[in-house]
Amino acid sequence: MRIVTFSDIHANIHALDAVLADLAQHKADHVVCLGDLVGYGAFPNEVIFRLRELGVPTIQGNYDDGVGYDRDDCGCAYREEEEVQRGQQSLLWHREHVTAENKAFLRSLLPRVEYRVGGLHVVLVHGSPRRTNEYLFQDRLESSVIRLMDMAAADILVCGHTHLPYHRILSGGRHVINDGSVGKPKDGDPRACYAVIDVDNGKLRVQFPRVEYDTEAAARAIEKSGLPAEFAQHIRTGIS
């Protein structure tokens, strides 16, 4: 079985369209979006419309929850005061600009997606099996990750939220995969990222294609929108 996942589009329609065109070559059995359609970028309604139009199964991210329910917090766990202020600007801008119909769509998104592949249980989430906004970084203590996977009875856990792609093999042969970010990478590579996961006879192969797109057009749109200019620089550099 081939599963393609992508996440953390963050209202970047230029990146999303490039990824959708690229992933078509992989002839996946399942294509799933792991959430965070909105936030930071200038095209939230366009991104939502594209996924609605295509009918891609989509998991609800923390930003989707924050905007969909008009919450006062996006669940982003910012550490610095400047980040808090910019995050609040982003949340309020998206709450104001996303249509009521699209907010209803965000509220309807899935909590998780699961597949059985042979004897393996594949669980797809936004943050972690425990919380939508929980970060599973690659250096997370293994015993902690195993406890989370036990909660979901997962042999293979696929997540997003950190914007940092990785494939980690745990003791006992279980796997954790983070599919990076389509619209706001944080690993220093501004190209859009997604994951291609092949599961065959208990063996796993993971690829992280990187896709070039018009980052300058996406960045300029942010600068013209009234969103914090720092978000445009994040698009240009792949660092935030």
Side-chain angles (χ1 to χ4, degrees):
M1 177 183 285
R2 171 168 286 178
I3 303 169
V4 170
T5 76
F6 60 92
S7 71
D8 300 282
I9 304 160
H10 287 300
N12 187 338
I13 191 63
H14 298 83
L16 175 60
D17 282 344
V19 163
L20 290 173
D22 192 77
L23 65 80
Q25 68 181 297
H26 295 290
K27 298 179 181 179
D29 297 292
H30 300 284
V31 177
V32 183
C33 175
L34 307 188
D36 269 6
L37 282 60
V38 297
Y40 307 115
F43 300 99
N45 290 301
E46 291 83 350
V47 165
I48 295 169
F49 176 80
R50 187 77 78 246
L51 293 180
R52 290 177 61 188
E53 180 183 43
L54 295 174
V56 175
T58 302
I59 293 169
Q60 186 181 75
N62 55 287
Y63 232 112
D64 306 322
D65 174 89
V67 172
Y69 287 95
D70 286 315
R71 300 195 194 280
D72 295 326
D73 188 339
C74 68
C76 300
Y78 300 116
R79 295 180 180 179
E80 304 293 334
E81 182 58 31
E82 289 184 356
E83 288 182 317
V84 173
Q85 293 177 5
R86 288 196 297 267
Q88 192 65 14
Q89 284 180 263
S90 172
L91 178 63
L92 293 175
W93 189 95
H94 282 80
R95 280 173 43 187
E96 179 181 347
H97 285 81
V98 173
T99 67
E101 183 179 4
N102 281 335
K103 286 181 180 180
F105 176 76
L106 294 178
R107 295 194 297 271
S108 75
L109 298 180
L110 304 168
R112 68 175 63 183
V113 171
E114 303 180 44
Y115 299 109
R116 288 281 179 182
V117 186
L120 299 177
H121 187 203
V122 184
V123 178
L124 286 68
V125 297
H126 178 70
S128 85
R130 177 166 55 189
R131 291 196 308 274
T132 300
N133 67 338
E134 182 170 14
Y135 292 94
L136 292 186
F137 290 107
Q138 188 169 7
D139 60 357
R140 179 79 169 257
L141 189 67
E142 182 171 292
S143 59
S144 173
V145 178
I146 289 173
R147 282 195 297 273
L148 290 172
M149 294 184 73
D150 285 343
M151 290 174 56
D155 300 297
I156 301 170
L157 178 65
V158 188
C159 59
H161 191 45
T162 70
H163 300 211
L164 299 168
Y166 68 82
H167 173 205
R168 181 179 179 184
I169 303 175
L170 306 174
S171 57
R174 294 160 99 178
H175 299 259
V176 183
I177 300 158
N178 191 297
D179 66 2
S181 171
V182 169
K184 196 173 184 288
K186 294 184 178 181
D187 60 353
D189 185 341
R191 295 177 298 170
C193 181
Y194 66 100
V196 179
I197 305 160
D198 288 298
V199 186
D200 186 18
N201 292 324
K203 296 181 180 179
L204 198 69
R205 179 172 180 262
V206 182
Q207 304 171 65
F208 297 104
R210 302 303 290 242
V211 185
E212 293 186 357
Y213 72 95
D214 194 343
T215 54
E216 191 57 29
R220 287 197 303 267
I222 290 172
E223 290 169 339
K224 293 177 181 178
S225 70
L227 286 160
E230 287 85 353
F231 296 162
Q233 195 61 17
H234 298 164
I235 294 293
R236 293 183 174 109
T237 64
I239 300 173
S240 60

